[in-house]
């Protein structure tokens, strides 16, 4: 191969799908002559192309590359957009992976990588090509090898999301709404899967939202005096509900716009009581039993658990049909999302009441079943865990940016781990692993927690720790 660095003034693109169209636009914007090739291309069509990129569906990728190898001159470099690149390069010393991080139409990151052991001249060509495209297009990187790892992480999330919808656990609309509002995704997983060209999911039947008549709710109580309980109480009070906070230290909350009491007997006239005590099953069951004893028949009882089985809390009462999960996101006055969790016992009218109350609060309710992690945590934390598990030999910052671009997140997974806390992430991933027998916590996550790298809470950030370890 010539050692002269070439930016490929003439490039051929096979494929008229989203990836092919986006590549044609980027290449043309950079001043290159682009030859758009149909499936019946000939040697004459590709004769002047220094680079030809196969941007066709994965099943056809290998056959297209083999045909290009047969028709192109021996100096032509071939490339694929396959994600992951599950092809055998017909000419390994003249082969590039040109991969978008996420759906081609939406992503802001494109990577150009050479095969392992590629000659230095090819690496130089790839670097020059990436630098030139970056001047007029999205961020184009070369040599990081993170696109394939990032896309694998995202595709695993999309498969999990599709399974949840197919089983009737949550509707596609609610799942996407939850991930947009709760995780900050630009588009939800089902929308992302559609943009990526994945086959649609045949959804099972779910419990209809409007199958019950809502009960009247005017008087609210929140059991608990912690930060989350206070935030939830302020949300109800601000929405105009007659709001009461009950707990052992409720007296210190006076003046926050709601009544306070240390006596559970004060719950006798409440229409809805929201349990918001510590995230401990024994504690929650004890408090819910007290609430059950004091509340009138017909009152709706809710738990704010973020990770515990709602049914186990409901069965601490004599009326599990009146119990529903209301998982407010923190901070409750700011976050729009509420996961409304129905158990096999939850009455249709109770579910309808929860949805009506959320609407009155100006919140976005999404209905799901009673499984570990509900919707957002069930999808987000395995993604964070998988990112860490994919780090072997990769630059942490580059992988973080690649996954962020592929998912359309406001923060990359490593930064999210800093915000959440690695110890909390480890606890959640362990609970998901026990419940779903999915992926075990990544050894990197275990090590970070053991080393005291907890993220923002103690100023020891994940990315800095991993970058230092890699160096």
């Amino acid at each position: 191969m010539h050692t002269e660095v070439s930016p490929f003034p003439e490039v051929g693109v096979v494929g008229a799908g989203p990836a092919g169209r986006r590549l044609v636009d980027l290449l043309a914007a950079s001043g290159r002559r682009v030859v758009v090739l149909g499936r019946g291309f000939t040697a004459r069509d590709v004769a002047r192309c220094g680079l030809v990129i196969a941007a066709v569906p994965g099943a056809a990728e290998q056959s297209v590359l083999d045909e290009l190898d047969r028709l192109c001159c021996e100096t032509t470099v071939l490339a694929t957009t396959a994600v992951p690149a599950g092809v055998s390069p017909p000419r390994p010393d003249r082969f590039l992976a040109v991969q978008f991080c996420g759906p081609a139409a939406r992503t802001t990151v494109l990577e150009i990588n050479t095969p392992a052991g590629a000659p230095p001249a090819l690496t130089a060509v790839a670097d020059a090509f990436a630098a030139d495209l970056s001047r007029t297009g999205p961020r184009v990187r070369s040599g990081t090898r993170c696109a394939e790892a990032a896309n694998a992480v995202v595709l695993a999330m999309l498969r999990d999301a599709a399974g949840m919808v197919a089983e009737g656990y949550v509707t596609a609309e609610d799942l996407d709404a939850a991930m947009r509002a709760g995780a900050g995704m630009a588009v939800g997983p089902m929308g992302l899967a559609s943009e990526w060209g994945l086959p649609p999911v045949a959804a099972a039947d779910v419990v209809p939202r409007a199958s019950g008549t809502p009960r009247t709710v005017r008087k609210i109580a929140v059991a608990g005096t912690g930060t989350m309980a206070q935030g939830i109480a302020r949300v109800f009070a601000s929405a105009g509900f007659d709001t009461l906070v009950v707990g052992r230290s409720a007296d210190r909350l006076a003046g926050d716009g709601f009544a306070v009491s240390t006596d559970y007997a004060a719950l006798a006239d409440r229409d809805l009581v929201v349990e918001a005590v510590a995230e401990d099953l024994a504690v929650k069951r004890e408090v819910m039993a007290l609430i059950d004893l004091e509340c009138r028949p017909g009152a709706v009882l809710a738990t704010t658990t973020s990770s515990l089985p709602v049914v186990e809390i409901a069965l601490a009462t004599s009326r599990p049909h009146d119990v529903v999960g209301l998982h407010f996101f923190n901070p409750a006055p700011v976050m729009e999302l509420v996961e409304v969790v129905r158990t096999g016992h939850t009455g249709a009218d109770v579910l309808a009441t929860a949805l009506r109350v959320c609407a009155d609060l100006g919140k976005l309710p999404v209905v799901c079943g009673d499984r570990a992690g509900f919707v957002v945590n069930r999808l987000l934390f395995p993604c964070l865990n998988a990112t860490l598990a994919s780090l072997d030999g990769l630059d942490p910052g580059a992988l973080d940016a690649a996954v962020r671009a592929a998912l359309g997140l406001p923060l990359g997974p490593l930064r999210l781990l800093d915000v959440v806390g690695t110890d909390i992430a480890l606890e959640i991933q362990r609970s998901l692993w026990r419940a779903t027998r999915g992926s075990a916590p990544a050894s990197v996550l275990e090590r970070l927690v053991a080393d005291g790298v907890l993220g923002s809470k103690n100023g020891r950030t994940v990315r800095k720790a991993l970058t230092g370890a890699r160096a």
Side-chain angles (χ1 to χ4, degrees):
M1 171 173 284
H2 299 295
T3 57
E4 177 185 358
V5 174
S6 171
F8 303 120
E10 189 163 322
V11 181
V13 177
V14 184
R21 293 195 300 270
R22 183 78 185 278
L23 279 173
V24 168
D25 292 342
L26 294 176
L27 293 164
S30 71
R32 288 168 169 79
R33 181 175 182 271
V34 185
V35 180
V36 180
L37 302 167
R39 294 298 293 275
F41 54 83
T42 65
R44 184 176 179 179
D45 295 327
V46 296
R48 296 176 56 187
C49 296
L51 169 69
V52 182
I53 306 172
V56 296
E61 197 85 10
Q62 188 67 59
S63 62
V64 169
L65 287 172
D66 290 341
E67 184 68 4
L68 287 171
D69 182 44
R70 187 177 68 85
L71 296 174
C72 290
C73 67
E74 63 179 16
T75 59
T76 302
V77 176
L78 304 183
T80 179
T81 61
V83 179
V87 296
S88 299
R91 42 181 81 179
D93 61 335
R94 295 177 179 277
F95 186 80
L96 299 175
V98 180
Q99 296 176 320
F100 293 97
C101 295
R106 176 177 297 277
T107 188
T108 58
V109 176
L110 174 67
E111 278 196 0
I112 300 172
N113 294 305
T114 57
L122 181 62
T123 301
V125 168
D127 291 345
F129 185 41
D132 195 53
L133 289 179
S134 288
R135 297 188 184 102
T136 54
R139 189 168 25 154
V140 183
R141 308 183 306 193
S142 61
T144 69
R145 307 185 186 282
C146 290
E148 189 161 341
N151 287 326
V153 167
V154 175
L155 287 170
M157 174 195 275
L158 300 188
R159 285 193 295 270
D160 285 348
M164 293 165 71
V165 172
E167 294 171 8
Y169 175 76
V170 62
T171 66
E173 295 76 15
D174 272 2
L175 186 144
D176 275 0
M179 294 304 289
R180 290 195 304 267
M185 291 179 66
V187 60
M190 304 310 294
L192 201 62
S194 177
E195 290 184 3
W196 221 327
L198 299 180
V201 176
D205 293 334
V206 297
V207 176
R209 277 175 173 256
S211 63
T213 302
R215 301 178 187 178
T216 300
V217 175
R218 296 189 179 90
K219 295 184 176 184
I220 303 287
V222 177
T225 57
T227 301
M228 196 66 190
Q230 293 178 54
I232 293 170
R234 292 190 185 100
V235 168
F236 279 111
S238 296
F241 286 95
D242 178 342
T243 306
L244 168 71
V245 173
V246 176
R248 288 176 296 181
S249 55
D251 52 328
R252 66 184 176 85
L253 303 180
D256 281 326
F258 43 78
V260 297
S261 176
T262 57
D263 187 357
Y264 276 79
L267 301 176
D269 66 343
R270 300 288 109 174
D271 304 311
L272 168 65
V273 179
V274 180
E275 169 274 305
V277 298
E279 192 72 357
D280 179 286
L281 182 59
V283 173
K284 285 185 176 291
R285 283 176 56 85
E286 179 182 356
V287 169
M288 192 64 87
L290 289 173
I291 293 170
D292 179 37
L293 287 173
E294 301 296 346
C295 284
R296 63 172 179 79
V300 174
L301 314 184
T303 174
T304 61
T305 181
S306 61
S307 60
L308 300 171
V310 173
V311 69
E312 292 297 324
I313 299 169
L315 291 175
T317 75
S318 63
R319 46 176 126 178
H321 56 283
D322 285 334
V323 179
V324 66
L326 287 179
H327 177 212
F328 288 82
F329 280 66
N330 193 29
V334 175
M335 295 296 285
E336 179 187 19
L337 179 65
V338 179
E339 290 176 328
V340 179
V341 185
R342 64 179 189 274
T343 74
H345 300 280
T346 304
D349 58 336
V350 173
L351 180 62
T353 302
L355 293 171
R356 171 70 64 81
V357 167
C358 287
D360 291 343
L361 295 176
K363 297 296 186 182
L364 172 67
V366 298
V367 179
C368 63
D370 184 19
R371 295 184 191 170
F374 305 137
V375 177
V376 175
N377 287 351
R378 170 65 184 82
L379 292 176
L380 183 59
F381 280 89
C383 175
L384 306 185
N385 188 63
T387 301
L388 290 176
S390 302
L391 270 170
D392 187 26
L394 302 179
D395 176 77
L399 182 60
D400 197 42
V403 178
R404 177 185 179 185
L407 272 177
L409 289 169
L411 298 174
L414 305 187
R415 183 70 187 99
L416 275 171
L417 282 167
D418 286 335
V419 173
V420 173
T422 56
D423 52 342
I424 301 299
L426 178 58
E427 180 183 340
I428 291 173
Q429 187 61 29
R430 281 174 174 165
S431 68
L432 291 174
W433 181 40
R434 288 192 296 267
T436 67
R437 304 315 298 175
S439 297
S443 59
V444 178
L445 181 57
E446 301 264 13
R447 187 171 67 250
L448 287 168
V449 175
D451 291 344
V453 180
L454 304 182
S456 301
K457 68 176 65 177
N458 69 349
R460 299 187 62 190
T461 65
V462 171
R463 186 164 159 178
K464 184 175 181 180
L466 293 175
T467 302
R470 186 170 182 265

